[in-house]
């Protein structure tokens, strides 16, 4: 505490800190976790997604994003935009309605909740009487019609949510309006559909679940006409001119009904079961859209043959003899069709189908002949296959960027060329000042390259590393096999793959050199493989050179009991343009890989495992050295597959086993248990045993770490530096490695000059070994130059992007362990400064990274500091070189272990972490580098020329972008 | 040796260093190259060792007026002769000393010499802590003995401005038999942990406190409120004014009168990182900048406490006169010394 206060008394420094640091969570990238509702405004051209946790997210043109969070932690069931307004109504699963609006404040729109409302029935009424099933925002903009489970339709006035009792359409009133022969039907049951007549706002179509559909005259309060179906009703849809109505039913059929008030016993014009004749599942929603060409589009959800395809999540599109059932890999939440927004237009002319599935958003181009998907600029499914690691590279040179984009473009040929159709609002955010890449490694062995420069996280390129290896499954083949069945005409769409969890393929570490285009990838856990790839604009066919690195070299008596290794494919392999592997290093024993470093200037790659580390010269394709870091007594590390990164399935299974085992053992242990709670007797003992297990207080053992602890050999961090390792007169390349046991190894390297690089071997010699007495895992190593500035990245100086480091003054070594920050002098290692984090705060360092913080006032002023994430989820800035804590913000919940584990920092004080398997939260510690949505949505500017009416003056536009 | 008696005088006000005294003894007895153990009989008749400046000064200052000194050859030494009551139980110490075989008959736990001892724990800052609290320092040397305790979450009742309130706290839940914590006798199950190395634990999670303790494990200072409040130190200085306070928990809400002077000492604990250069010999990493932080008063307390641990507890037995010794002229004993340090433990 005192340490935090001590530096705080310098007012100038305090002022400077305010100019340098500030904490914001700016934007969420990716696909919302557990979406539960979809809404779309044809006039605003904005999409809304509600989630089970009560969030509402709005998306328009790329960069236009809003997010709102209900105070209640309830699932959003429905979202409806009010016609022609910047307002929307959400229905939660607690039966409450919420009115949100986009209001302009300070030149940007903000989303804010205005009002909330829960429908109350008459006293004594059953709760189902007011349980809302359907919401219809009336085109008058003032009324909301609410269909309920009881069959009553309530009218509510907006924006105050005042119930208009005289406008209530009760089931009884409808029954009175029906002719005798229709009245024999039993209770109406719940309202399934409410649709306003497309031409006459005074007519509303009410569909009841038992199959009765009526057209209700709002002014005259009478039934204009009715339709009787003998199947349970699921949904209805008006034809645009109001002369036809289409209903869909639970038996997988849909019917077309002519609408005219005089046709007395209306019969369906046509009724069909699209995937009959065998029993089918319900068609839950249908769109009937007419086109200028005359032939309508029928788009419906479900209706698949129950027995053979009942488990599919399909949406079928039928048009002009062409029929496709789009088959989604996850449940379809809802869908909508983008069509002509002007209600006065004669035709719908649909142009895109928007489907919200549980794990992704898919947009289908309906204009193109074969209905290809459109590549979304946002809402990317980050979790197509589970993310196993991530790596951020700031400020990518244009050249490399273009090459990656070009390589990616060739992978995206199956996408439609259509412009992104959801383009409401205007993004006011300045163009991103630099190009940033976020690389994610996945469980299926792919590395995805994301454009992380701006608000929209967009997939640029996908690298698959599977091809190099012989695996059991050839994933592409089964997919094609399914497509061959001609009926139903299924077509797989979307990128989410629920079946990709081969842990042998998971990527553990990624390192990309932005100047040379070298990429190193570590795959885990069996066996650890280092793959070095190079960007190639042409496709190529070549063999991948394989080298084996035995980290137990010279160690006697170790017997590996872990997994067998995965074999690489022999012979030349064909590679697409993009990153192509040329060297593969397989580490022995096949345990866990833990760290990776690449130096593109020296053409060296270093890798660390649970057993040691090695250095590989990828120019000469030769191993330089290996070093075993195991403690002689560390038997545990040798015996098992030490997969620290387990698949979820595996860890679940293990935790269940553990519970079972602990139940058994606690039962056994009973007699020896602590006095006072020793029960006697069999069955009782058993029950108490379980209870004790649950009630026993959590205990923590206090014990000093010893050198003999297991896993001390884990190499946690690797670092290349050109510094004074041996003496203060000559600097040389060096490799630094830090282990779990608090040991730092330093190797002096001799890299031959460029002209003799191929002829002479790279030499390495151990120069130093530092043992931190507190023995905490070393998580970061850094060398500061004579001006106490971190050494630049390799090739950074060569590309004129950094000042060359100061080689005059004395260098300093910073070692960050989980518990302490320590600065040592170089070349003679003596302790200079330290900051004890754990001893003072009880938190441990999880991530540490150097970041450059620019001042928001002075244009060219900036400082290098350490951005630190602790195991408590706090983000701190620790100053360099004096190691003074500067600021601290709580960022991630401490219980959110996966969020903390997934955090990456950028070079300019921003960061990302996973808030769900599919979403990255972006945060910023910098006052200068903020990437957040700033956008404007204005209802006046929209293309809606709708209803001429309304006297409420200029639209209110409002909102508060929530944090 | 056989037995040899010498009598000489020392200046009581300037006793000099133990080394000089040792040299003097060797000179007087003409045994320059023999390792010897030096002991003296204190006022209670206990045979106590002299092996450093402190107990040498103590011995000189307590001489009444003669100081009887016993010298034995190191290799023949009978360690068990030292300790409380030794001179009283065995009427003839000289016999014991000269013929150690006499009581080798009884199986004895061999206790090594005090210079081989090191402190394992101490109670510190007694003067600045409320009487209900106890600040315990555990010394962890090497790895041979585990710290040996467990902590858990719990709740304690505090006096706050709003009355009694139940607040979450951290408690000692278990002591490992044979562990450092248990062997000190200063910590017990259900003691509430209030601070770790001067940092309050309130508001911190069990895991945080665990990490803090482990991070400080080489020099762990825990402030506890013992579950058993009967063994608390009673200080004369306090009892006059604050006796009402000392019995309840209300002191917790009082602002601490004095900050414990823990800051400098956490600097010393882990400066001993090891560097191995070019596969050479490991050595400790030196400090780049000489630290101004000097040895503080704690060292003094520790040293005194060390004596306490070794059984230097004053008893009421008066000295039975025993022959044979080297007597030194000294003044009357200064009996207040031990009490002033406030390091007396009640066992």
């Amino acid at each position: 505490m005192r340490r935090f206060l001590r530096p705080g008394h310098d007012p100038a420094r305090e002022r400077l800190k305010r100019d340098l640091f500030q904490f914001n969570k700016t934007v969420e990238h990716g696909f919302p976790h557990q979406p539960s509702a979809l809404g779309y405004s044809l006039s605003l051209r904005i999409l809304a997604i509600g989630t089970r946790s009560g969030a509402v997210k709005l998306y328009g043109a790329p960069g236009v994003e809003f997010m709102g969070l209900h105070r209640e932690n309830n699932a959003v069931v429905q979202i409806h935009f009010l016609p022609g307004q910047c307002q929307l109504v959400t229905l939660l699963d607690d039966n409450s309605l919420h009115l949100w609006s986009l209001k302009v404040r300070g030149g940007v729109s903000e989303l804010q909740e205005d009002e909330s409302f829960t429908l109350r029935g008459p006293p004594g009424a059953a709760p189902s009487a007011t349980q809302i099933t359907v919401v219809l925002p009336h085109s008058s903009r003032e009324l909301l019609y609410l269909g309920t489970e009881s069959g009553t339709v309530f009218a509510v006035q907006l924006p105050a949510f005042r119930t208009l009792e005289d406008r209530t359409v009760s089931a009884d009133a409808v029954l009175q309006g029906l002719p005798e022969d229709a009245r024999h039907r039993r209770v109406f049951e719940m309202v399934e559909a409410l649709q306003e007549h497309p031409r006459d706002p005074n007519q509303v179509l009410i569909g009841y679940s038992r199959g009765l559909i009526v057209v209700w005259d709002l002014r005259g309060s009478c039934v204009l006409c009715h339709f009787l179906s003998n199947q349970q009703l699921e949904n209805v849809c008006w034809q645009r001119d109001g002369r036809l109505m289409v209903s869909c039913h639970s038996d997988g059929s849909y019917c077309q009904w002519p609408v005219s008030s005089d046709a007395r016993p209306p019969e369906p014009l046509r009724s069909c079961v699209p995937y009959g004749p065998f029993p089918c599942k319900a068609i839950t929603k249908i769109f009937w859209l007419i086109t200028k060409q005359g032939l309508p589009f029928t788009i419906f959800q479900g209706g698949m043959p129950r027995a053979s395809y009942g488990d599919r999540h399909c949406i079928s599109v039928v048009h002009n003899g062409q029929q496709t059932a789009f088959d989604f890999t996850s449940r379809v939440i809802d869908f909508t069709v983008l069509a002509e927004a002007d209600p006065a237009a004669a035709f719908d002319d649909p142009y895109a189908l928007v489907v919200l599935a549980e794990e992704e958003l898919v947009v289908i181009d309906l204009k193109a002949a074969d209905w290809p998907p459109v590549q979304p600029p946002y809402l990317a499914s980050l979790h197509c296959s589970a993310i196993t690691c991530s790596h951020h590279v700031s400020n990518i040179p244009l050249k490399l960027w273009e090459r990656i984009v070009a390589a990616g473009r060739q992978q995206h040929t199956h996408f439609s060329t259509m412009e992104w159709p959801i383009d409401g609002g205007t993004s006011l955010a300045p163009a991103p000042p630099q190009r940033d890449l976020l690389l994610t490694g996945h469980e299926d062995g792919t590395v995805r390259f994301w454009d992380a420069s701006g608000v929209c996280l967009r997939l640029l390129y996908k690298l698959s590393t599977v091809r190099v290896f012989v695996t059991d499954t050839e994933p592409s083949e089964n997919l094609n096999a399914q497509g061959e069945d001609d009926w139903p005409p299924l077509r797989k769409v979307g990128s989410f793959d629920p079946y990709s969890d081969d842990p042998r393929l998971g990527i553990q570490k990624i390192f990309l050199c932005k100047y040379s285009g070298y990429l190193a990838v570590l795959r885990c856990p069996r066996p650890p493989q280092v793959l070095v790839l190079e960007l190639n604009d042409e496709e190529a066919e070549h063999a991948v050179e394989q080298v084996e690195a035995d980290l137990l070299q010279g160690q006697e008596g170790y017997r590996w009991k872990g997994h067998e290794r995965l074999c690489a494919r022999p012979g030349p392999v064909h590679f697409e343009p993009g990153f192509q592997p040329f060297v593969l290093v397989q580490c022995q024993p096949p345990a866990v890989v833990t760290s990776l470093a690449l130096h593109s200037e020296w053409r060296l790659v270093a890798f660390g495992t649970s057993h040691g580390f090695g250095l590989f010269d990828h120019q000469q394709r030769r191993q330089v050295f290996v070093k075993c870091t195991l403690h002689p007594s560390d038997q545990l590390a040798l015996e098992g597959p030490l997969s620290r990164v387990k698949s979820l399935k595996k860890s679940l299974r293990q935790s269940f086993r553990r519970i079972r085992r602990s139940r058994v053992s606690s039962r056994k242990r009973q007699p020896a248990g602590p006095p006072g709670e020793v029960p006697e007797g069999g069955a009782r003992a058993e029950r108490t045993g379980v209870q004790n297990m649950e009630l026993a207080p959590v205990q923590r053992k206090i014990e000093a770490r010893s050198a003999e602890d297991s896993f001390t050999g884990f190499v946690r961090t690797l670092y290349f530096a050109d510094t004074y390792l041996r003496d203060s007169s000559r600097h040389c390349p060096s490799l630094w490695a830090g282990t779990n046991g608090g040991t730092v190894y330093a190797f002096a390297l001799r890299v031959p000059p460029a002209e003799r690089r191929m002829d002479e071997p790279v030499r390495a010699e151990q120069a130093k070994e530092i043992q931190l007495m507190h023995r905490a895992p070393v998580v970061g190593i850094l060398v500061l130059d004579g001006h106490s500035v971190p050494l630049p990245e390799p090739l950074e100086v060569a590309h004129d992007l950094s000042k060359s480091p100061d080689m005059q003054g004395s260098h300093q070594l910073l070692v960050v362990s989980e518990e302490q920050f320590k600065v040592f002098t170089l070349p003679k290692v003596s302790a200079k400064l330290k900051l004890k984090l754990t001893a003072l705060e009880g938190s441990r360092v999880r991530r540490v990274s150097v970041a450059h913080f620019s001042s928001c006032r002075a244009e060219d002023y900036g400082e290098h500091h350490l951005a630190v994430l602790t195991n408590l989820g706090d983000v701190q800035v620790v100053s360099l070189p004096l190691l003074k804590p500067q600021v601290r913000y709580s960022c991630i919940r401490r219980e959110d272990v996966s969020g903390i584990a997934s955090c990456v920092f950028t070079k300019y004080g921003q960061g990302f972490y996973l808030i769900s398997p599919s979403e990255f939260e972006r945060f910023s510690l910098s006052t200068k580098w903020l990437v957040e949505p700033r956008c404007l949505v204005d209802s006046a500017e929209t293309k809606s020329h709708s209803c001429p009416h309304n006297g409420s003056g200029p639209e209110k536009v409002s909102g508060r972008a929530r944090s | 040796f056989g037995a040899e008696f010498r009598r000489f005088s020392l200046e009581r006000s300037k006793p000099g260093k133990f080394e000089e005294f040792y040299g003097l003894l060797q000179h007087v007895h003409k045994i320059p190259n023999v390792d010897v153990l030096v002991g003296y009989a204190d006022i209670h008749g206990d045979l106590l060792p002299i092996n450093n400046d402190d107990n040498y000064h103590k011995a000189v200052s307590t001489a009444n007026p003669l100081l009887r000194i016993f010298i034995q050859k190191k290799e023949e030494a009978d360690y068990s002769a030292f300790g409380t009551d030794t001179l009283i139980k065995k009427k003839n110490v000289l016999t014991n000393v000269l013929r150690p075989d006499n009581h080798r008959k009884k199986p004895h736990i061999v206790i090594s010499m005090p210079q081989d001892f090191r402190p394992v724990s101490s109670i510190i800052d007694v003067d600045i802590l409320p009487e209900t609290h106890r600040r315990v320092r555990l010394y962890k040397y090497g790895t041979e003995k585990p710290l040996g305790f467990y902590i858990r979450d719990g709740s304690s009742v505090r006096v706050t401005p709003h009355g009694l309130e139940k607040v979450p706290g951290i408690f000692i839940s278990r002591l490992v038999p044979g562990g450092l914590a248990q062997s000190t006798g200063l910590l017990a199950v259900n003691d509430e942990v209030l601070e770790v190395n001067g940092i309050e634990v309130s508001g911190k999670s069990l895991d945080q406190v665990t990490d803090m303790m482990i991070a400080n494990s080489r020099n762990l200072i825990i402030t506890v409120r013992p579950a058993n409040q009967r063994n608390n130190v009673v200080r004369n200085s306090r009892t006059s004014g604050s006796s009402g306070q000392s019995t309840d928990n209300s002191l917790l809400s009082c602002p601490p009168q004095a900050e414990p002077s823990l800051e400098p000492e956490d600097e010393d604990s882990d400066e001993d990182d090891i560097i191995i250069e070019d596969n050479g010999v490991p050595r400790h990493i030196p400090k780049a900048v000489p630290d101004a932080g000097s040895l503080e008063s704690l060292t003094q307390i520790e040293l005194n406490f060390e004596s306490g641990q070794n059984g230097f507890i004053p008893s009421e037995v008066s000295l039975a006169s025993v022959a044979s010794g080297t007597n030194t002229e000294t003044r009357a004993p200064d009996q207040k010394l031990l009490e002033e340090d406030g390091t007396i433990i009640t066992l």
Side-chain angles (χ1 to χ4, degrees), chain A residues 37-85:
Chain A
L38 173 75
Y40 185 75
S41 166
L42 281 174
S43 56
L44 298 177
R45 296 165 81 98
I46 282 183
L47 181 82
I49 295 177
T51 72
R52 261 186 246 173
S53 53
V56 190
K57 295 182 158 200
L58 267 55
Y59 298 90
V64 177
E65 287 184 17
F66 301 95
M67 178 166 159
L69 201 59
H70 289 91
R71 270 181 289 276
E72 301 80 1
N73 191 21
N74 286 84
V76 180
V77 181
Q78 293 182 31
I79 302 179
H80 299 273
F81 280 90
L82 302 188
Q85 277 170 285

Side-chain angles (χ1 to χ4, degrees), chain A residues 776-912:
Chain A
V778 176
V779 293
I781 299 174
L782 185 71
V783 172
L784 308 176
D785 73 5
H787 296 305
S788 298
V789 173
L791 293 184
E793 285 177 63
L795 292 178
E796 205 169 26
V797 176
H799 284 71
D800 275 343
L801 285 158
S802 170
K803 275 190 288 186
S804 30
D806 174 55
M807 292 309 224
Q808 305 307 319
S810 61
H811 282 196
Q812 298 172 66
L813 170 72
L814 169 69
V815 177
V816 182
S817 77
E818 282 191 358
E819 297 185 353
Q820 299 187 3
F821 299 78
K822 292 192 124 173
V823 172
F824 300 95
T825 55
L826 281 179
K828 187 171 152 39
V829 175
S830 42
K832 198 168 174 191
L833 276 171
K834 75 175 162 196
L835 170 66
K836 287 175 156 189
L837 189 71
T838 312
L840 291 167
E841 293 176 41
S843 56
R844 272 175 289 158
V845 177
R846 279 282 173 269
R847 279 277 178 287
V848 62
S849 177
V850 176
H852 185 264
F853 292 92
S854 310
S855 165
C856 60
R857 283 172 197 273
E859 196 50 48
D860 51 354
Y861 183 77
E863 297 177 359
H864 280 98
H865 293 302
L866 292 174
V868 179
L869 175 79
T870 70
N871 65 329
L872 304 179
D874 290 342
V875 174
Q876 307 194 11
V877 174
V878 174
S879 74
L880 284 179
L882 292 176
L883 301 181
K884 301 268 187 217
Q886 300 292 303
V887 285
R888 175 166 56 170
Y889 309 99
S890 73
C891 177
I892 312 177
R893 280 181 310 116
R894 69 172 64 169
E895 299 82 17
D896 185 2
V897 180
S898 63
I900 292 173
S902 65
C903 180
V904 283
F905 287 107
T906 77
K907 287 262 179 299
Y908 295 92
Q910 297 189 53
F912 299 86

Side-chain angles (χ1 to χ4, degrees), chain A residues 588-607:
Chain A
Q588 288 297 343
V592 188
V593 273
T594 48
S595 51
L596 179 69
L598 178 94
H599 200 290
S600 42
E601 197 172 345
W602 304 335
R603 307 285 164 108
L604 295 172
V605 60
F607 49 90

